[in-house]
Amino acid sequence: MIDDMPVLDVAGISKRFGDLEVLTDISFTVTRGETVCVLGPSGSGKSTLLRCINWLERPDAGQIYLNGDRIGINNGGVVMSDRELSRVRTRIGMVFQHFALWPHLTVLQNLMEAPVQVQKRPAAEVREEAMALLAKVGLSDKSDVFPARLSGGQKQRVGIARALAMKPDVLLFDEPTSALDPELVGEVLLVMRELAREGRTMVIVTHEMGFARDAATRILFLDRGRVVETGPPERFFVNPDTERARQFIQRYAAG
Amino acid sequence: MIRDFAIVWSERGLLLSGLGNTTILSVLSAIAGLVIAFGLTPALMSKQRWLALTVRVFVDGMRCVPFLLFAYIVYYGLPSFGIRLDNWSSGLVALTVYHAAYLAEILRGAWAAQPREPIEAGIAFGFSGPRLFRRIILPPLLLAAGPVIGNQMIQIVKDSAFLTIIALPELTHAASSIQSRHYVPFAAFITAVVLYWGLCLVIEAGVSGIDRLAAARR
């Protein structure tokens, strides 16, 4: 049954930088329409995990499947060429902590660049969809503006719209609100809540506990590179299984 | 003195053809130099150490050779290896290769100063290889390095004057011919200086145009 197949299947991922073991045997699956929030203290390997999923970092061990297709290793069992990796990456949308918009392109061009240049979809069709996405994130009037003229919150909303323009199978968010002034966090979370409600498949690394509690379908709690606990937010936040999760939640609730 | 300038004026055809040739030489080698630099810069930034090192040796070597000496080598030296170029080809090759090294180093510096994330976003969105460089990496480099590249263009114009020694009929060569024919050194050379200055003004106008584009994007 196709419907039973997870969109994302991460099996036994490990990654070390020199002597430092950043990720140890991480496994989880994400089914269609799920919003998985990855929580954990700083340095627990959350961002590295996200970057391993689309092979921005090459995992040392383990397998990653996107709708059943192995990422990073091709059918011949060898590491994919840059070209092969590029093709898989177009199916994974990514939102970056520091927005990472392309400074030489306008907002609309930022949305259209990869769909037209990489996915080779017709520009007129992409433009129409891009304008609809900008309307969705509330930035229709900024289409011809360069990113440098936007506030942080606006930049990140463009970042989200840019990822959506690829029509990806799954969206990865790498601490999307961490670089924002506190008063700008809300507008970005609002867009992300809307996406969760629509049933987009998302993996979100975040420190926004309130958002994780309301919007996540499942929490993945990492500490020192291991999955310590996973479960629905109702259970995780109210009655976690592990002492470490309890401490983590208390610290965030207090601070 | 006015009589001297009148003599130069009577030879204006020669000067203008010299100016034309200087312009052609400079424009062609600027374009070709940039295109070669677009190839050298990714090599300088390459993770393949042998490639980066090879190109690094070439670039550093080029930057330590006086241009006049390099032009001599291309025109007089290469025939010893069976490569015989006429003075136009020699001049173009010398100017292009020499300044490509500088331009590559300029672009490398600008690249190293760029934030990493937009390039990473390019990779995450499926760009790779030449397309990643052309669409995502290069445009911000050109905008950031515009003034320095413009400066290098001015250097190209000035270095083209050296090519008079291989009898290339450019502006300095024309001025030199006029002065030796009529013995009006001051008038002939100062006219050439003014014409070089005019070329540089054109380049600076281009640079400020690029700078306006860049300002809107930062």
Side-chain angles (χ1 to χ4, degrees):
Chain A
M1 283 283 290
I2 292 287
D3 281 343
D4 289 346
M5 191 167 63
V7 174
L8 194 64
D9 182 354
V10 175
I13 289 298
S14 295
K15 174 71 183 174
R16 55 167 57 245
F17 293 122
D19 286 340
L20 185 68
E21 181 134 33
V22 187
L23 298 175
T24 309
D25 195 25
I26 303 262
S27 298
F28 66 97
T29 60
V30 182
T31 52
R32 177 180 292 278
E34 258 197 306
T35 299
V36 173
C37 281
V38 183
L39 307 180
S42 301
S44 56
K46 306 183 298 290
S47 288
T48 306
L49 171 62
L50 217 57
R51 294 163 56 82
C52 279
I53 291 175
N54 62 359
W55 269 56
L56 281 180
E57 300 287 355
R58 182 174 160 178
D60 297 328
Q63 297 106 46
I64 300 157
Y65 297 90
L66 181 66
N67 282 319
D69 300 327
R70 178 93 184 259
I71 298 176
I73 307 288
N74 65 20
N75 292 334
V78 284
V79 172
M80 287 181 166
S81 66
D82 282 352
R83 280 184 87 95
E84 288 173 299
L85 267 177
S86 294
R87 205 166 312 132
V88 183
R89 285 180 179 135
T90 60
R91 296 164 55 192
I92 304 172
M94 191 157 192
V95 177
F96 292 80
Q97 183 176 358
H98 298 283
F99 328 119
L101 301 177
W102 296 310
H104 58 293
L105 302 176
T106 64
V107 165
L108 179 62
Q109 288 168 340
N110 261 278
L111 265 64
M112 293 178 62
E113 181 69 6
V116 172
Q117 297 296 331
V118 180
Q119 294 178 321
K120 303 288 180 197
R121 282 154 52 195
E125 173 195 311
V126 171
R127 176 187 302 271
E128 207 168 300
E129 288 169 6
M131 287 308 293
L133 286 170
L134 284 179
K136 186 190 183 77
V137 299
L139 292 171
S140 296
D141 56 330
K142 300 289 186 193
S143 63
D144 293 328
V145 169
F146 288 103
R149 295 284 172 272
L150 301 176
S151 72
Q154 291 171 330
K155 281 180 190 166
Q156 195 57 296
R157 283 186 279 153
V158 173
I160 294 171
R162 178 177 67 170
L164 290 171
M166 303 278 286
K167 298 184 173 176
D169 298 346
V170 59
L171 282 165
L172 309 179
F173 291 75
D174 187 8
E175 303 202 23
T177 56
S178 297
L180 294 176
D181 292 336
E183 74 269 22
L184 300 177
V185 169
E187 60 188 78
V188 173
L189 292 183
L190 200 69
V191 170
M192 290 166 60
R193 273 177 221 274
E194 175 64 23
L195 296 178
R197 231 189 331 268
E198 286 173 11
R200 303 263 181 182
T201 313
M202 304 193 281
V203 180
I204 302 171
V205 171
T206 185
H207 290 288
E208 294 292 332
M209 295 302 135
F211 172 82
R213 190 196 300 246
D214 306 342
T217 52
R218 197 149 45 90
I219 304 292
L220 198 71
F221 177 62
L222 256 60
D223 192 21
R224 291 179 215 163
R226 291 174 190 274
V227 177
V228 174
E229 182 166 343
T230 178
E234 307 83 56
R235 194 176 84 217
F236 178 81
F237 283 105
V238 178
N239 189 20
D241 296 337
T242 59
E243 185 53 31
R244 243 184 291 172
R246 196 183 306 279
Q247 286 168 355
F248 175 78
I249 294 160
Q250 262 164 11
R251 188 147 37 84
Y252 269 90
Chain B
M1 183 54 73
I2 291 182
R3 207 183 62 87
D4 289 1
F5 279 101
I7 291 170
V8 171
W9 177 248
S10 72
E11 294 277 23
R12 61 189 176 277
L14 188 57
L15 270 178
L16 282 179
S17 103
L19 177 66
N21 286 340
T22 290
T23 308
I24 291 169
L25 269 173
S26 304
V27 169
L28 286 182
S29 43
I31 292 172
L34 263 180
V35 170
I36 293 175
F38 294 165
L40 294 179
T41 303
L44 281 173
M45 296 292 282
S46 171
K47 287 195 193 84
Q48 310 258 318
R49 291 182 65 105
W50 61 268
L51 178 63
L53 192 69
T54 310
V55 177
R56 166 62 47 208
V57 167
F58 164 74
V59 167
D60 284 353
M62 228 6 89
R63 293 195 304 158
C64 293
V65 178
F67 177 71
L68 181 59
L69 208 53
F70 184 62
Y72 273 139
I73 290 171
V74 172
Y75 188 63
Y76 295 112
L78 286 186
S80 328
F81 299 94
I83 304 169
R84 207 169 294 277
L85 301 173
D86 62 22
N87 55 352
W88 265 97
S89 311
S90 300
L92 266 175
V93 166
L95 264 185
T96 300
V97 172
Y98 189 77
H99 287 279
Y102 278 90
L103 289 165
E105 182 59 16
I106 289 169
L107 290 173
R108 188 205 60 79
W111 186 342
Q114 293 288 314
R116 207 171 42 98
E117 265 200 331
I119 298 174
E120 209 157 58
I123 296 169
F125 278 70
F127 288 88
S128 62
R131 191 190 288 147
L132 176 69
F133 182 68
R134 191 166 47 84
R135 301 287 315 185
I136 304 294
I137 300 175
L138 184 57
L141 293 190
L142 292 178
L143 290 172
V148 194
I149 292 172
N151 213 38
Q152 199 59 36
M153 299 295 156
I154 289 173
Q155 207 60 48
I156 293 177
V157 171
K158 293 196 297 181
D159 277 353
S160 73
F162 281 117
L163 298 175
T164 185
I165 55 110
I166 58 172
L168 225 165
E170 43 67 62
L171 183 52
T172 301
H173 198 75
S176 196
S177 314
I178 293 169
Q179 91 82 20
S180 61
R181 205 177 295 168
H182 303 283
Y183 200 63
V184 284
F186 182 77
F189 290 138
I190 208 74
T191 307
V193 165
V194 168
L195 291 173
Y196 277 114
W197 185 50
L199 275 183
C200 291
L201 287 183
V202 172
I203 292 172
E204 277 170 11
V207 166
S208 66
I210 291 174
D211 231 27
R212 269 196 302 279
L213 291 180
R217 290 159 176 78
R218 45 171 186 252

Short mmCIF file of all heavy atoms in Angstrom, two decimals, chain B residues 92-137:
data_model
loop_
_atom_site.label_atom_id
_atom_site.label_comp_id
_atom_site.label_asym_id
_atom_site.label_seq_id
_atom_site.Cartn_x
_atom_site.Cartn_y
_atom_site.Cartn_z
N LEU B 92 46.94 40.36 -27.46
CA LEU B 92 45.66 39.96 -26.87
C LEU B 92 45.85 38.83 -25.86
O LEU B 92 45.30 38.88 -24.76
CB LEU B 92 44.71 39.49 -27.97
CG LEU B 92 43.76 40.56 -28.53
CD1 LEU B 92 42.96 39.99 -29.69
CD2 LEU B 92 42.82 41.05 -27.43
N VAL B 93 46.63 37.83 -26.24
CA VAL B 93 46.86 36.69 -25.35
C VAL B 93 47.53 37.16 -24.06
O VAL B 93 47.10 36.82 -22.96
CB VAL B 93 47.73 35.60 -26.04
CG1 VAL B 93 48.25 34.60 -25.02
CG2 VAL B 93 46.92 34.91 -27.12
N ALA B 94 48.57 37.99 -24.22
CA ALA B 94 49.31 38.46 -23.04
C ALA B 94 48.38 39.23 -22.09
O ALA B 94 48.32 38.95 -20.89
CB ALA B 94 50.48 39.33 -23.46
N LEU B 95 47.65 40.22 -22.64
CA LEU B 95 46.76 41.03 -21.81
C LEU B 95 45.70 40.16 -21.13
O LEU B 95 45.41 40.30 -19.94
CB LEU B 95 46.03 42.08 -22.67
CG LEU B 95 46.59 43.49 -22.77
CD1 LEU B 95 45.63 44.35 -23.57
CD2 LEU B 95 46.80 44.11 -21.39
N THR B 96 45.12 39.25 -21.91
CA THR B 96 44.02 38.42 -21.40
C THR B 96 44.49 37.50 -20.28
O THR B 96 43.92 37.48 -19.18
CB THR B 96 43.43 37.56 -22.54
OG1 THR B 96 42.94 38.44 -23.55
CG2 THR B 96 42.31 36.69 -22.04
N VAL B 97 45.53 36.73 -20.55
CA VAL B 97 46.00 35.74 -19.58
C VAL B 97 46.48 36.42 -18.30
O VAL B 97 46.16 36.02 -17.19
CB VAL B 97 47.11 34.87 -20.19
CG1 VAL B 97 47.73 33.97 -19.13
CG2 VAL B 97 46.54 34.04 -21.33
N TYR B 98 47.25 37.50 -18.50
CA TYR B 98 47.81 38.22 -17.36
C TYR B 98 46.71 38.73 -16.44
O TYR B 98 46.74 38.51 -15.23
CB TYR B 98 48.66 39.38 -17.89
CG TYR B 98 49.49 40.09 -16.85
CD1 TYR B 98 50.68 39.52 -16.38
CD2 TYR B 98 49.11 41.34 -16.37
CE1 TYR B 98 51.45 40.19 -15.44
CE2 TYR B 98 49.88 42.01 -15.44
CZ TYR B 98 51.05 41.43 -14.97
OH TYR B 98 51.82 42.09 -14.05
N HIS B 99 45.71 39.37 -17.03
CA HIS B 99 44.68 39.98 -16.20
C HIS B 99 43.63 38.99 -15.74
O HIS B 99 42.95 39.23 -14.74
CB HIS B 99 44.08 41.19 -16.91
CG HIS B 99 45.03 42.35 -16.94
ND1 HIS B 99 45.20 43.19 -15.87
CD2 HIS B 99 45.92 42.74 -17.88
CE1 HIS B 99 46.13 44.08 -16.17
NE2 HIS B 99 46.59 43.84 -17.38
N ALA B 100 43.50 37.88 -16.43
CA ALA B 100 42.59 36.83 -15.96
C ALA B 100 43.03 36.37 -14.57
O ALA B 100 42.20 36.11 -13.69
CB ALA B 100 42.58 35.66 -16.93
N ALA B 101 44.34 36.29 -14.37
CA ALA B 101 44.86 35.87 -13.06
C ALA B 101 44.44 36.85 -11.97
O ALA B 101 43.96 36.45 -10.91
CB ALA B 101 46.38 35.75 -13.11
N TYR B 102 44.59 38.16 -12.26
CA TYR B 102 44.17 39.17 -11.29
C TYR B 102 42.67 39.08 -11.03
O TYR B 102 42.20 39.13 -9.89
CB TYR B 102 44.49 40.58 -11.81
CG TYR B 102 45.91 41.00 -11.57
CD1 TYR B 102 46.90 40.74 -12.51
CD2 TYR B 102 46.27 41.68 -10.41
CE1 TYR B 102 48.20 41.13 -12.30
CE2 TYR B 102 47.58 42.08 -10.19
CZ TYR B 102 48.55 41.81 -11.14
OH TYR B 102 49.83 42.19 -10.93
N LEU B 103 41.89 38.97 -12.12
CA LEU B 103 40.43 38.95 -11.97
C LEU B 103 39.98 37.73 -11.18
O LEU B 103 39.07 37.81 -10.35
CB LEU B 103 39.77 38.97 -13.36
CG LEU B 103 39.90 40.32 -14.10
CD1 LEU B 103 39.56 40.16 -15.58
CD2 LEU B 103 39.01 41.37 -13.45
N ALA B 104 40.64 36.59 -11.42
CA ALA B 104 40.29 35.38 -10.68
C ALA B 104 40.53 35.59 -9.18
O ALA B 104 39.71 35.20 -8.34
CB ALA B 104 41.11 34.19 -11.18
N GLU B 105 41.64 36.24 -8.85
CA GLU B 105 41.96 36.48 -7.45
C GLU B 105 40.97 37.47 -6.82
O GLU B 105 40.55 37.30 -5.68
CB GLU B 105 43.40 37.00 -7.34
CG GLU B 105 43.89 37.26 -5.93
CD GLU B 105 43.85 36.02 -5.04
OE1 GLU B 105 43.74 34.90 -5.56
OE2 GLU B 105 43.90 36.19 -3.81
N ILE B 106 40.56 38.46 -7.60
CA ILE B 106 39.55 39.43 -7.12
C ILE B 106 38.24 38.70 -6.80
O ILE B 106 37.65 38.88 -5.73
CB ILE B 106 39.29 40.52 -8.18
CG1 ILE B 106 40.51 41.46 -8.28
CG2 ILE B 106 38.03 41.31 -7.86
CD1 ILE B 106 40.47 42.39 -9.47
N LEU B 107 37.80 37.84 -7.73
CA LEU B 107 36.54 37.12 -7.53
C LEU B 107 36.65 36.14 -6.37
O LEU B 107 35.70 35.96 -5.60
CB LEU B 107 36.13 36.39 -8.82
CG LEU B 107 35.69 37.30 -9.97
CD1 LEU B 107 35.48 36.48 -11.24
CD2 LEU B 107 34.40 38.04 -9.61
N ARG B 108 37.83 35.51 -6.23
CA ARG B 108 38.00 34.56 -5.12
C ARG B 108 37.85 35.29 -3.77
O ARG B 108 37.20 34.81 -2.86
CB ARG B 108 39.37 33.90 -5.19
CG ARG B 108 39.54 32.76 -4.18
CD ARG B 108 41.00 32.52 -3.83
NE ARG B 108 41.62 33.71 -3.24
CZ ARG B 108 41.46 34.09 -1.98
NH1 ARG B 108 40.73 33.38 -1.16
NH2 ARG B 108 42.04 35.20 -1.53
N GLY B 109 38.48 36.47 -3.70
CA GLY B 109 38.38 37.25 -2.47
C GLY B 109 36.93 37.61 -2.15
O GLY B 109 36.48 37.49 -1.02
N ALA B 110 36.19 38.02 -3.19
CA ALA B 110 34.79 38.40 -2.99
C ALA B 110 33.98 37.18 -2.57
O ALA B 110 33.10 37.26 -1.71
CB ALA B 110 34.21 39.00 -4.27
N TRP B 111 34.31 36.03 -3.15
CA TRP B 111 33.59 34.77 -2.82
C TRP B 111 33.82 34.41 -1.35
O TRP B 111 32.89 34.09 -0.61
CB TRP B 111 34.08 33.67 -3.75
CG TRP B 111 33.33 32.36 -3.64
CD1 TRP B 111 32.53 31.94 -2.61
CD2 TRP B 111 33.31 31.32 -4.62
NE1 TRP B 111 32.02 30.70 -2.88
CE2 TRP B 111 32.48 30.29 -4.10
CE3 TRP B 111 33.91 31.14 -5.86
CZ2 TRP B 111 32.25 29.11 -4.80
CZ3 TRP B 111 33.68 29.96 -6.56
CH2 TRP B 111 32.86 28.97 -6.03
N ALA B 112 35.08 34.50 -0.93
CA ALA B 112 35.41 34.13 0.46
C ALA B 112 34.67 35.02 1.45
O ALA B 112 34.40 34.61 2.57
CB ALA B 112 36.91 34.20 0.67
N ALA B 113 34.35 36.25 1.02
CA ALA B 113 33.68 37.18 1.93
C ALA B 113 32.16 37.03 1.90
O ALA B 113 31.46 37.68 2.67
CB ALA B 113 34.08 38.62 1.57
N GLN B 114 31.63 36.20 1.00
CA GLN B 114 30.17 36.03 0.91
C GLN B 114 29.66 35.16 2.05
O GLN B 114 30.36 34.25 2.49
CB GLN B 114 29.80 35.34 -0.41
CG GLN B 114 30.08 36.16 -1.65
CD GLN B 114 29.12 37.31 -1.83
OE1 GLN B 114 27.92 37.15 -1.68
NE2 GLN B 114 29.66 38.48 -2.12
N PRO B 115 28.42 35.42 2.51
CA PRO B 115 27.83 34.51 3.49
C PRO B 115 27.62 33.13 2.86
O PRO B 115 27.35 33.02 1.67
CB PRO B 115 26.50 35.16 3.85
CG PRO B 115 26.20 36.10 2.73
CD PRO B 115 27.52 36.52 2.16
N ARG B 116 27.76 32.08 3.69
CA ARG B 116 27.72 30.71 3.18
C ARG B 116 26.29 30.25 2.88
O ARG B 116 26.06 29.46 1.99
CB ARG B 116 28.35 29.80 4.25
CG ARG B 116 28.99 28.53 3.76
CD ARG B 116 29.75 27.89 4.92
NE ARG B 116 28.97 27.96 6.16
CZ ARG B 116 28.23 26.95 6.64
NH1 ARG B 116 28.20 25.81 6.00
NH2 ARG B 116 27.55 27.08 7.76
N GLU B 117 25.33 30.76 3.66
CA GLU B 117 23.99 30.19 3.60
C GLU B 117 23.28 30.31 2.24
O GLU B 117 22.69 29.34 1.81
CB GLU B 117 23.11 30.78 4.71
CG GLU B 117 23.07 29.89 5.94
CD GLU B 117 21.87 30.18 6.84
OE1 GLU B 117 21.41 31.34 6.84
OE2 GLU B 117 21.40 29.27 7.51
N PRO B 118 23.32 31.47 1.56
CA PRO B 118 22.63 31.53 0.26
C PRO B 118 23.18 30.50 -0.74
O PRO B 118 22.42 29.94 -1.53
CB PRO B 118 22.90 32.96 -0.21
CG PRO B 118 23.08 33.74 1.04
CD PRO B 118 23.80 32.81 1.98
N ILE B 119 24.48 30.24 -0.68
CA ILE B 119 25.07 29.24 -1.58
C ILE B 119 24.57 27.85 -1.18
O ILE B 119 24.19 27.04 -2.03
CB ILE B 119 26.61 29.31 -1.54
CG1 ILE B 119 27.07 30.69 -2.02
CG2 ILE B 119 27.22 28.20 -2.39
CD1 ILE B 119 28.56 30.93 -1.88
N GLU B 120 24.53 27.62 0.14
CA GLU B 120 24.02 26.36 0.63
C GLU B 120 22.55 26.17 0.23
O GLU B 120 22.13 25.07 -0.14
CB GLU B 120 24.14 26.33 2.15
CG GLU B 120 24.30 24.95 2.71
CD GLU B 120 24.96 24.99 4.06
OE1 GLU B 120 24.39 25.65 4.95
OE2 GLU B 120 26.01 24.38 4.22
N ALA B 121 21.79 27.27 0.29
CA ALA B 121 20.40 27.21 -0.14
C ALA B 121 20.33 26.80 -1.61
O ALA B 121 19.48 26.00 -2.01
CB ALA B 121 19.70 28.55 0.07
N GLY B 122 21.25 27.33 -2.42
CA GLY B 122 21.29 26.95 -3.82
C GLY B 122 21.47 25.45 -3.97
O GLY B 122 20.76 24.79 -4.76
N ILE B 123 22.39 24.89 -3.19
CA ILE B 123 22.63 23.45 -3.25
C ILE B 123 21.38 22.69 -2.79
O ILE B 123 20.94 21.74 -3.43
CB ILE B 123 23.85 23.08 -2.37
CG1 ILE B 123 25.11 23.73 -2.93
CG2 ILE B 123 24.03 21.56 -2.29
CD1 ILE B 123 26.31 23.66 -2.01
N ALA B 124 20.79 23.17 -1.69
CA ALA B 124 19.60 22.49 -1.15
C ALA B 124 18.43 22.55 -2.13
O ALA B 124 17.57 21.68 -2.12
CB ALA B 124 19.19 23.13 0.18
N PHE B 125 18.40 23.58 -2.97
CA PHE B 125 17.30 23.71 -3.94
C PHE B 125 17.64 23.05 -5.27
O PHE B 125 16.94 23.25 -6.26
CB PHE B 125 16.93 25.18 -4.13
CG PHE B 125 16.03 25.70 -3.05
CD1 PHE B 125 16.49 25.90 -1.76
CD2 PHE B 125 14.68 25.96 -3.30
CE1 PHE B 125 15.67 26.35 -0.74
CE2 PHE B 125 13.84 26.41 -2.29
CZ PHE B 125 14.34 26.61 -1.02
N GLY B 126 18.70 22.29 -5.33
CA GLY B 126 18.97 21.47 -6.51
C GLY B 126 19.95 22.06 -7.51
O GLY B 126 20.11 21.54 -8.60
N PHE B 127 20.62 23.16 -7.14
CA PHE B 127 21.65 23.68 -8.03
C PHE B 127 22.96 22.94 -7.78
O PHE B 127 23.26 22.58 -6.64
CB PHE B 127 21.88 25.18 -7.79
CG PHE B 127 20.77 26.05 -8.29
CD1 PHE B 127 19.68 26.34 -7.49
CD2 PHE B 127 20.81 26.58 -9.57
CE1 PHE B 127 18.64 27.13 -7.95
CE2 PHE B 127 19.77 27.38 -10.05
CZ PHE B 127 18.69 27.65 -9.23
N SER B 128 23.71 22.70 -8.85
CA SER B 128 25.04 22.10 -8.66
C SER B 128 25.91 22.48 -9.86
O SER B 128 25.41 22.94 -10.88
CB SER B 128 24.93 20.57 -8.54
OG SER B 128 24.41 20.03 -9.73
N GLY B 129 27.20 22.29 -9.70
CA GLY B 129 28.15 22.49 -10.79
C GLY B 129 28.09 23.89 -11.39
O GLY B 129 27.90 24.87 -10.68
N PRO B 130 28.25 23.98 -12.72
CA PRO B 130 28.30 25.28 -13.38
C PRO B 130 27.02 26.11 -13.17
O PRO B 130 27.08 27.32 -13.08
CB PRO B 130 28.45 24.93 -14.87
CG PRO B 130 29.01 23.56 -14.89
CD PRO B 130 28.49 22.87 -13.66
N ARG B 131 25.88 25.42 -13.06
CA ARG B 131 24.63 26.18 -12.89
C ARG B 131 24.61 26.86 -11.53
O ARG B 131 24.14 28.00 -11.40
CB ARG B 131 23.42 25.25 -13.05
CG ARG B 131 22.11 26.03 -13.16
CD ARG B 131 20.90 25.12 -13.08
NE ARG B 131 20.72 24.33 -14.26
CZ ARG B 131 20.20 23.09 -14.25
NH1 ARG B 131 19.86 22.53 -13.11
NH2 ARG B 131 20.07 22.43 -15.36
N LEU B 132 25.10 26.18 -10.50
CA LEU B 132 25.19 26.77 -9.17
C LEU B 132 26.07 28.01 -9.21
O LEU B 132 25.73 29.06 -8.67
CB LEU B 132 25.76 25.75 -8.17
CG LEU B 132 26.00 26.26 -6.75
CD1 LEU B 132 24.69 26.55 -6.03
CD2 LEU B 132 26.82 25.26 -5.93
N PHE B 133 27.21 27.90 -9.89
CA PHE B 133 28.14 29.02 -9.97
C PHE B 133 27.52 30.19 -10.74
O PHE B 133 27.51 31.33 -10.28
CB PHE B 133 29.45 28.59 -10.63
CG PHE B 133 30.47 29.69 -10.71
CD1 PHE B 133 31.06 30.18 -9.55
CD2 PHE B 133 30.83 30.25 -11.92
CE1 PHE B 133 31.99 31.21 -9.60
CE2 PHE B 133 31.76 31.28 -11.98
CZ PHE B 133 32.34 31.75 -10.82
N ARG B 134 26.95 29.88 -11.89
CA ARG B 134 26.45 30.93 -12.79
C ARG B 134 25.22 31.65 -12.22
O ARG B 134 25.13 32.87 -12.29
CB ARG B 134 26.10 30.27 -14.14
CG ARG B 134 25.82 31.21 -15.27
CD ARG B 134 25.82 30.43 -16.61
NE ARG B 134 25.05 29.22 -16.55
CZ ARG B 134 23.72 29.15 -16.73
NH1 ARG B 134 23.05 30.24 -16.98
NH2 ARG B 134 23.10 28.00 -16.67
N ARG B 135 24.29 30.89 -11.64
CA ARG B 135 23.02 31.48 -11.22
C ARG B 135 23.03 32.00 -9.79
O ARG B 135 22.34 32.97 -9.47
CB ARG B 135 21.88 30.45 -11.34
CG ARG B 135 21.67 29.87 -12.72
CD ARG B 135 21.04 30.82 -13.68
NE ARG B 135 19.91 31.57 -13.17
CZ ARG B 135 19.19 32.39 -13.93
NH1 ARG B 135 19.49 32.54 -15.22
NH2 ARG B 135 18.19 33.07 -13.41
N ILE B 136 23.78 31.32 -8.90
CA ILE B 136 23.67 31.63 -7.47
C ILE B 136 24.92 32.31 -6.94
O ILE B 136 24.85 33.29 -6.21
CB ILE B 136 23.41 30.33 -6.66
CG1 ILE B 136 22.15 29.63 -7.18
CG2 ILE B 136 23.30 30.63 -5.17
CD1 ILE B 136 20.86 30.38 -6.98
N ILE B 137 26.10 31.79 -7.29
CA ILE B 137 27.33 32.30 -6.68
C ILE B 137 27.84 33.56 -7.39
O ILE B 137 28.15 34.57 -6.76
CB ILE B 137 28.43 31.22 -6.68
CG1 ILE B 137 27.96 30.01 -5.88
CG2 ILE B 137 29.74 31.77 -6.11
CD1 ILE B 137 28.92 28.83 -5.92
#
